[in-house]
Amino acid sequence: MSAPIIAIDAMGGDFGPHSIVPACIACLAEFPSLHLVLVGQISLLNELIARHSGVDRARLHLEQASEVIAMDDRPAQALRSKPDSSMRVALELVRDGRAQACVSSGNTGALMALSRYLLKTLPGIDRPAMMTAIPTERGHCQLLDLGANVDCSAEHLYQFAVMGSVAAEALGVARPRIALLNVGTEDVKGNQQVKLAASLLQPVSELNYIGFIEGDGLYRGEADVVVCDGFVGNILLKSSEGLASMISARMEALFKQNLGSRLIGSLALAVLKRLQGELAPARHNGASFLGLQAIVVKSHGAARPEGFQSAIRRAVMEVREDLPQRLHGRLEHLLL
């Protein structure tokens, strides 16, 4: 396929271009065929790019945008009152065919609202869902929804399961195991929406639905795709990030308590660093907006360069797999 072209909202997130520019330059070195379009205040972007040597400017393009959507702006405000925001201009590049994907660490609600307005959803999809990878004992599972849809019907959960399954296949998982996150694994457990979603999934032989899963089963790697509403998914994601950081901090503190523990810590340092790397939120940063007619990846707002780089990697993979087209091809006969 042709070289991927990805539009970057360079002004979004807590650190804006100071974090995003280094991540973009690192990705250009990592992917020799990648082209990036950084959208934002060109004078500032040029100043930050100039601090790095050896940048391939033939593959790094700049697009002016005079406005920035703040992290606390309401989605309606972003839609109506900031027509020249870096987020909107980046999405318009995708809409107009000048880029194949958009990556932003900006306001999640605004990004979802603008994405739905500018890019539209795939036929049969009521609501896009946010999906990301969660580390497990066996590798990773894909979790959705992460917060885009706080209140969901059974039909929405069914759609999320279909989209998650197709996306997992694109990531190389053969016949992904799909589970609904629940308060128990028995058929009688759960609220009405989860029970109804299970009844919709069970008869579909093309989907490898394995039933309900609890939170501990998710981390044991008992499923490849775990489906829930956005309220539960967002709490689970943030709790996972906080737990990983707390364990890392506690282990480091324990190893520094006294001479004996420092000696033990020095022996275990390599293993500890590897564990920190595997669990670090930055390594798994990047949530896909599934169900749109084009690719949008949301980076964590507090992502440092390494984290934003992971989000760009996810966008590159989805462009290479032509994920929206794969979804469209499977949705026609799998949706209710």
Side-chain angles (χ1 to χ4, degrees):
M1 63 169 296
S2 59
I5 304 173
I6 296 177
I8 306 292
D9 170 15
M11 309 304 293
D14 296 348
F15 308 108
H18 297 278
S19 180
I20 292 168
V21 167
C24 290
I25 292 171
C27 277
L28 289 175
E30 182 179 355
F31 300 102
S33 65
L34 176 64
H35 288 248
L36 296 176
V37 184
L38 274 62
V39 182
Q41 299 169 14
I42 287 182
S43 58
L44 174 58
L45 295 176
N46 272 323
E47 178 185 332
L48 294 173
I49 293 168
R51 299 177 185 177
H52 300 265
S53 60
V55 179
D56 185 355
R57 291 303 299 263
R59 295 188 292 124
L60 185 63
H61 314 279
L62 304 183
E63 189 84 15
Q64 175 66 24
S66 61
E67 298 173 310
V68 178
I69 293 175
M71 298 301 276
D72 58 352
D73 280 351
R74 294 182 178 275
Q77 181 182 1
L79 273 169
R80 300 190 186 113
S81 63
K82 293 188 175 179
D84 197 42
S85 69
S86 56
M87 183 185 292
R88 181 166 188 147
V89 173
L91 289 167
E92 288 174 342
L93 291 174
V94 179
R95 179 199 63 187
D96 297 341
R98 295 175 57 196
Q100 298 155 297
C102 171
V103 180
S104 173
S105 57
N107 181 315
T108 303
L111 183 63
M112 179 60 79
L114 283 167
S115 297
R116 291 187 67 177
Y117 176 72
L118 294 170
L119 304 178
K120 313 304 181 187
T121 57
L122 291 165
I125 295 297
D126 297 326
R127 301 180 182 181
M130 293 174 63
M131 182 186 81
T132 197
I134 299 290
T136 71
E137 289 181 14
R138 302 181 184 181
H140 303 90
C141 76
Q142 301 298 320
L143 175 67
L144 71 165
D145 177 40
L146 302 178
N149 307 282
V150 174
D151 298 306
C152 296
S153 67
E155 289 75 15
H156 293 142
L157 295 176
Y158 176 86
Q159 291 178 13
F160 298 167
V162 172
M163 293 191 294
S165 179
V166 175
E169 288 176 357
L171 291 166
V173 181
R175 195 160 170 75
R177 298 164 298 163
I178 306 165
L180 289 167
L181 188 62
N182 200 0
V183 295
T185 58
E186 301 87 351
D187 291 342
V188 296
K189 295 288 183 68
N191 59 31
Q192 194 66 18
Q193 286 78 15
V194 170
K195 292 177 183 177
L196 286 172
S199 69
L200 296 175
L201 287 164
Q202 284 166 346
V204 183
S205 59
E206 289 189 53
L207 296 174
N208 186 16
Y209 174 66
I210 62 171
F212 296 144
I213 192 172
E214 294 181 276
D216 56 346
L218 181 156
Y219 291 107
R220 284 196 296 268
E222 294 175 359
D224 303 303
V225 177
V226 176
V227 178
C228 58
D229 65 50
F231 183 87
V232 172
N234 190 268
I235 291 175
L236 176 60
L237 177 67
K238 298 296 175 59
S239 298
S240 300
E241 293 174 350
L243 178 62
S245 297
M246 184 272 290
I247 290 174
S248 176
R250 290 290 294 273
M251 288 179 70
E252 287 190 3
L254 286 170
F255 283 142
K256 294 176 181 177
Q257 277 186 344
N258 52 56
L259 179 60
S261 61
R262 285 198 293 270
L263 288 172
I264 295 172
S266 64
L267 295 173
L269 185 60
V271 175
L272 176 61
K273 291 298 182 184
R274 180 177 176 182
L275 178 63
Q276 287 176 324
E278 290 178 354
L279 297 180
R283 182 173 179 178
H284 311 287
N285 182 50
S288 307
F289 280 12
L290 296 181
L292 296 169
Q293 294 189 25
I295 296 165
V296 177
V297 174
K298 171 67 173 70
S299 167
H300 197 296
R304 297 289 186 175
E306 181 188 357
F308 198 84
Q309 193 175 349
S310 294
I312 297 175
R313 284 193 197 103
R314 189 168 187 115
V316 170
M317 179 278 297
E318 293 186 9
V319 169
R320 288 177 172 172
E321 294 294 332
D322 197 5
L323 188 56
Q325 189 58 40
R326 288 182 69 151
L327 279 168
H328 180 63
R330 292 287 303 280
L331 292 177
E332 286 184 301
H333 59 284
L334 282 176
L335 289 183
L336 303 173

